[in-house]
Amino acid sequence: QAQLVESGGGSVQAGGSLKLSCAVSGYIFSSCGMGWYRQVTGKEREFVSRINIDGTTIYADSVKGRFTISRDNAKNTLYLQMSSLKTEDTAKYYCAACNVRTTMGHMPNYLGQGTQVTVSS
């Protein structure tokens, strides 16, 4: 059974930066696309970004040009570098693995427990 553990969340002012990490145990890291979702209480889970096994990436329009997803295969770790943060980026961010889709509310095969990101004005 795979485990995904996020870290790096916190509070930051608008315009600032944060880097999220996701440590992945199990076999899935080398065999699946990985990604990030975010969710605000009372709203549906929203796709943020995905990185495929071949390294190609895809981003939600709302974060394109501000967020960068990357993976370190040697460390089995997924990252999300977030820059130029806006108050509307405030959400709980979840690491995801396998069957990561852009569909609103979609549940991937594996989802971490989440890390809170709060952006204040």
Side-chain angles (χ1 to χ4, degrees):
Q1 186 71 11
Q3 234 183 346
L4 286 66
V5 180
E6 303 96 336
S7 60
S11 297
V12 65
Q13 287 199 315
S17 299
L18 277 177
K19 186 173 185 177
L20 305 183
S21 299
C22 175
V24 183
S25 65
Y27 69 94
I28 59 170
F29 194 85
S30 59
S31 60
C32 280
M34 305 286 300
W36 293 91
Y37 290 88
R38 65 187 182 186
Q39 190 168 17
V40 175
T41 303
K43 295 190 176 180
E44 281 192 291
R45 187 178 303 111
E46 177 187 18
F47 170 83
V48 175
S49 182
R50 183 181 75 217
I51 184 166
N52 298 316
I53 297 173
D54 63 2
T56 55
T57 58
I58 179 173
Y59 296 92
D61 288 343
S62 58
V63 307
K64 206 172 290 183
R66 300 187 299 120
F67 290 13
T68 302
I69 191 170
S70 61
R71 58 194 296 168
D72 186 331
N73 292 333
K75 295 182 178 180
N76 278 16
T77 302
L78 180 72
Y79 302 100
L80 185 68
Q81 176 69 53
M82 305 185 293
S83 303
S84 302
L85 282 161
K86 305 176 180 180
T87 55
E88 52 263 43
D89 293 319
T90 295
K92 197 164 189 180
Y93 284 71
Y94 296 86
C95 177
C98 306
N99 194 26
V100 178
R101 300 187 186 181
T102 62
T103 310
M104 184 74 77
H106 174 71
M107 173 60 83
N109 287 11
Y110 301 94
L111 198 66
Q113 294 298 307
T115 185
Q116 179 67 36
V117 171
T118 302
V119 184
S120 58
S121 58

